[in-house]
Amino acid sequence: MRTLNFEVLTLFPGTLAAPLNESIMKRAREKGLLNVTVRNIRDYTEDKHKTADDSPYGGGAGMVLKPEPIFRAFEAIASEHPGEELLTILLSPQGRPFDQQRAEQLAEEKRRIVLLCGHYEAIDERVIEALVDEELSIGDYVLTGGELAALVVIDAAARLLPGVLGDEESAYRDSFGDGLLDHPHYTRPAEYRGMKVPDVLLSGNHADIEKWRRREELKATLMKRPDLLERTDLAEEDRKILEELKSELRNSKS
Ligand code: 4FV
């Protein structure tokens, strides 16, 4: 059994508490499969006002996170985990888009992963130059802080760890796992307010069910995220189905 270790540097540790103490993440931590240490950057300040940010050189709006408390936090991590290699990720809109593939890679990560959460305008560039290995963005929008982004990264990686998802959860075949969006799901009752569950799902014929699900994944991806089809290597069978779906689409439009 291997433990995935995260260190989260933040000015608002409370923001991370609830999601890490609920359901799957809570159980993963209790099982020792996931370890998340949340550190308040303000605990590494030395002045009586616990100053962690200051106004930007050159003027301008907003505040900038100071380098000293963050460097001290890293020294604390190094002294608590001597010799351990760190992978430091800054969550920021300037980062590389976070995706399932990066989540799968992080789930395999042996190094201790430090997630640096920005707040206010920015972080002093010397922190980024000296300590940050990678910038990750969870989307092209601006958050009030990096904490929610850090939680997204922890959740997406931790759920891939062996033993974290129970059977009832792991049945869910990941969207993006095979590069396509997921097929529709149904449960009892077989008919609700006149809306029927597709007969094939009630047939018990697993080969037909698998074919239907694959077709529905291709249809959902074609309709909602055709961009994904460009970067997914599809089998000949899938390409044939896709051409059928496209002609159906054309006919339905005409
Ligand atoms: C963000 C994102 C994000 C920017 C200023 C925090 C905020 C403040 N992080 N993906 N989008 N961060 O908006 O990761 O520092």
Side-chain angles (χ1 to χ4, degrees):
M1 182 192 76
R2 193 174 62 71
T3 302
L4 185 58
N5 292 299
F6 286 98
E7 300 274 343
V8 183
L9 300 189
T10 170
L11 283 172
F12 300 95
T15 314
L16 293 110
L20 292 175
N21 293 300
E22 287 290 337
S23 178
I24 295 166
M25 293 301 115
K26 180 169 178 260
R27 204 175 52 228
R29 300 175 74 195
E30 287 164 349
K31 286 182 177 176
L33 299 169
L34 172 67
N35 178 26
V36 182
T37 306
V38 178
R39 296 175 190 259
N40 187 336
I41 292 170
R42 229 172 267 294
D43 294 347
Y44 300 91
T45 59
E46 291 184 340
D47 65 309
K48 70 177 180 309
H49 303 298
K50 293 184 168 295
T51 309
D53 61 290
D54 201 342
S55 50
Y57 275 121
M63 299 295 276
V64 177
L65 285 183
K66 291 170 60 61
E68 307 96 318
I70 297 175
F71 273 77
R72 288 194 204 97
F74 272 80
E75 278 138 19
I77 294 170
S79 64
E80 289 169 33
H81 304 285
E84 265 203 50
E85 238 194 304
L86 303 181
L87 167 64
T88 300
I89 297 174
L90 168 62
L91 291 307
S92 97
Q94 283 80 38
R96 155 199 165 169
F98 181 58
D99 58 13
Q100 187 67 15
Q101 190 195 19
R102 192 72 188 104
E104 286 158 4
Q105 292 161 347
L106 290 177
E108 302 295 322
E109 188 57 55
K110 303 279 179 295
R111 294 170 286 181
R112 179 169 292 272
I113 303 171
V114 180
L115 299 177
L116 185 50
C117 301
H119 216 85
Y120 312 116
E121 206 51 36
I123 292 182
D124 187 286
E125 190 64 20
R126 291 164 286 190
V127 169
I128 298 172
E129 278 159 13
L131 300 173
V132 170
D133 301 304
E134 171 184 3
E135 289 191 52
L136 275 182
S137 170
I138 63 165
D140 296 343
Y141 39 77
V142 181
L143 304 169
T144 61
E147 289 76 16
L148 297 179
L151 286 167
V152 165
V153 169
I154 293 170
D155 187 284
R159 64 181 292 281
L160 299 170
L161 295 171
V164 167
L165 289 186
D167 300 346
E168 74 283 0
E169 293 125 0
S170 58
Y172 173 67
R173 205 175 29 210
D174 280 350
S175 287
F176 311 107
D178 54 5
L180 299 179
L181 298 187
D182 203 10
H183 54 73
H185 296 260
Y186 298 85
T187 187
R188 280 181 284 275
E191 176 167 354
Y192 181 65
R193 298 188 180 188
M195 296 178 282
K196 292 181 180 323
V197 170
D199 294 338
V200 63
L201 296 180
L202 309 174
S203 69
N205 178 326
H206 292 292
D208 287 358
I209 290 168
E210 273 321 300
K211 258 211 316 289
W212 178 86
R213 284 178 168 167
R214 188 65 177 176
R215 186 184 177 82
E216 290 298 318
E217 286 177 1
L218 290 163
K219 188 196 294 182
T221 311
L222 178 62
M223 309 288 278
K224 301 174 186 170
R225 292 290 307 280
D227 58 299
L228 292 174
L229 293 171
E230 262 82 52
R231 50 184 191 195
T232 305
D233 48 3
L234 294 174
E236 198 34 50
E237 176 55 24
D238 290 332
R239 293 204 172 291
K240 199 163 72 45
I241 295 168
L242 214 48
E243 288 321 306
E244 289 165 14
L245 289 166
K246 286 177 180 168
S247 59
E248 277 173 26
L249 207 59
R250 274 193 299 277
N251 304 345
S252 65
K253 284 205 176 102
S254 55

